[in-house]
Amino acid sequence: MKEILVTGGLGYIGSHTVVALAEAGFRPVIIDDLSNSRREVLDGIAQITGFRPAFYAYDLRRRHQVKEVFEAHPDLAGIIHFAASKYVGESVEKPLLYYENNICSLLNLLNEALAAGVHPFIFSSSCTVYGEPEQLPVTEDMPVQPATSPYGNTKQIDEEILRDTAAVEPLRVIALRYFNPIGAHPSALIGELPVGVPQNLVPFITQTAAGLRDELKIFGNDYPTPDGTAIRDYIHVMDLAEAHVTALNRLLEGRNKENFEVFNIGTGKGSSVMEVVKTFIEETGVDLPYRITGRRPGDVTAVWADTTRARKELGWTARRTMAQALRDAWQWEKKVRNIEK
Ligand code: UFG
């Protein structure tokens, strides 16, 4: 069984991908500094898959720690790099943290990967690189727009570092540009565990429904969209996790056409904030107090993916619905809060 290094493997997307990898017959090896995750996530992974991955509570900014993991696992077949700071607002307040964490970590990882001769590399990118797109749905060929936050800038810079390196080194990279991941594993044994007040829509919804927050604020209903609320492409986190396994297999089997490739990973369908709220209420039957407030600075009006390239080239397409993702997110929230209803 092939060993795959998963950085940030106890985080939200990372942990679901570790499950998908184990179920596909890989042996994930996890590095995670626990800055926005918990060690107990390993228990959930082990319960779901029957396999307990090797785990290093290491910080990728420390090159000697990265080196140590490559030395302990000389047969790594590939790398999936999730570990990064991910909050747009926080990145504006703490730019150096974001540049250091999201860029130095990548440099250390790439240097050690090349030294160890490990070349397949999957990178977590974001639809944030498209900014406010001029056309919808967005294809991978549409221009990368100037970043509006240090977080977004780190994703652009990281893509450039990877493209430049793959041009001259044997590295083979797939950057997956995620749209909005939501939901949880259907077992409710792993899910999203935001530290502090959630910044994202769905964890805020589930925490409000669970009674932890008084009300959901809908940030603006004066956008030029059918119901006035902003539109995103919400993808079930298990669909996203499976996209990583598919992309990894493409690299392992040498089916990539370039040594740096980019794919949009979304459903291809846009949903408004109000549609998400209404679907949550319909699917769960739970009361969700909400109120319309002003727009959140930095938010775009609408973005959803053209998924043609992922379908044709990767042979991957999202299978789960937004309704299912919201049900799974709610099952997980209830489990975490010990709610019986
Ligand atoms: N929203 C609310 N109320 C909330 C939270 C969010 O109305 O309490 C709205 C937002 O205004 C937005 C939509 O719900 O219209 C989705 O917001 P999220 O914060 O869940 O997601 P974003 O699309 O803003 O952000 C996501 C990722 C970022 C990434 C960005 C790229 O979380 O990491 O996409 O566009 F940078």
Side-chain angles (χ1 to χ4, degrees):
M1 284 204 283
K2 292 194 168 92
E3 278 195 327
I4 305 298
L5 181 62
V6 184
T7 75
L10 297 187
Y12 176 43
I13 307 172
S15 59
H16 290 80
T17 302
V18 164
V19 166
L21 284 168
E23 285 175 345
F26 293 101
R27 291 172 76 93
V29 172
I30 298 173
I31 303 181
D32 193 305
D33 70 355
L34 301 172
S35 60
N36 194 21
S37 61
R38 294 193 203 156
R39 204 177 274 272
E40 296 79 68
V41 174
L42 266 181
D43 301 331
I45 292 168
Q47 265 181 278
I48 296 169
T49 65
F51 172 74
R52 200 174 182 88
F55 167 58
Y56 298 85
Y58 283 179
D59 185 334
L60 296 173
R61 287 171 295 187
R62 304 211 169 105
R63 179 131 171 217
H64 65 277
Q65 294 192 335
V66 182
K67 189 179 172 67
E68 192 190 313
V69 175
F70 278 93
E71 282 170 359
H73 298 272
D75 296 323
L76 285 170
I79 300 168
I80 306 185
H81 179 43
F82 293 103
S85 299
K86 65 170 185 178
Y87 296 118
V88 173
E90 184 187 54
S91 79
V92 175
E93 303 297 321
K94 301 176 184 168
L96 287 180
L97 171 73
Y98 275 66
Y99 285 113
E100 190 178 17
N101 208 17
N102 294 6
I103 294 174
C104 294
S105 297
L106 175 67
L107 297 178
N108 286 340
L109 192 57
L110 284 179
N111 276 309
E112 291 305 328
L114 289 172
V118 184
H119 299 141
F121 195 100
I122 311 286
F123 176 67
S124 299
S125 191
S126 167
C127 67
T128 195
V129 302
Y130 299 117
E132 181 86 66
E134 281 171 17
Q135 274 174 33
L136 287 164
V138 266
T139 65
E140 291 85 349
D141 296 326
M142 289 179 67
V144 166
Q145 307 254 22
T148 55
S149 71
Y151 163 77
N153 207 18
T154 65
K155 291 293 168 187
Q156 297 192 5
I157 294 169
D158 282 353
E159 281 197 10
E160 287 169 7
I161 290 170
L162 288 162
R163 188 186 306 109
D164 291 346
T165 308
V168 292
E169 300 282 356
L171 194 70
R172 301 195 298 279
V173 181
I174 293 181
L176 299 178
R177 290 179 178 161
Y178 311 152
F179 285 68
N180 289 52
I182 60 167
H185 193 269
S187 65
L189 290 167
I190 56 171
E192 192 169 6
L193 268 181
V195 174
V197 181
Q199 311 285 311
N200 297 114
L201 179 62
V202 171
F204 206 100
I205 288 176
T206 56
Q207 287 200 7
T208 305
L212 273 81
R213 315 273 158 213
D214 291 339
E215 61 178 9
L216 168 75
K217 293 187 184 68
I218 294 181
F219 298 141
N221 69 345
D222 58 349
Y223 284 100
T225 61
D227 66 19
T229 63
I231 296 178
R232 298 287 183 274
D233 183 336
Y234 295 94
I235 173 169
H236 196 298
V237 67
M238 285 311 300
D239 278 326
L240 178 55
E242 287 163 11
H244 291 78
V245 178
T246 308
L248 179 69
N249 278 324
R250 177 179 175 89
L251 294 180
L252 294 178
E253 292 160 17
R255 287 185 281 109
N256 53 305
K257 295 201 173 138
E258 314 271 349
N259 282 341
F260 177 81
E261 295 181 316
V262 172
F263 294 97
N264 284 344
I265 302 296
T267 65
K269 184 177 179 300
S271 304
S272 72
V273 176
M274 198 50 96
E275 283 172 318
V276 176
V277 168
K278 286 190 174 149
T279 307
F280 180 83
I281 295 169
E282 274 164 27
E283 290 294 325
T284 64
V286 181
D287 184 37
L288 180 69
Y290 65 84
R291 182 164 62 91
I292 311 286
T293 66
R295 293 184 181 190
R296 182 171 68 178
D299 275 349
V300 299
T301 300
V303 60
W304 67 91
D306 185 315
T307 57
T308 311
R309 188 186 287 181
R311 192 176 65 247
K312 288 196 176 152
E313 284 289 322
L314 281 183
W316 171 90
T317 182
R319 297 186 289 130
R320 300 162 178 90
T321 62
M322 179 181 71
Q324 187 175 349
L326 292 173
R327 286 197 300 272
D328 290 340
W330 179 231
Q331 291 307 320
W332 164 248
E333 188 74 54
K334 285 198 292 184
K335 164 99 183 314
V336 172
R337 311 293 165 200
N338 290 314
I339 296 171
E340 291 299 325
K341 57 188 167 183

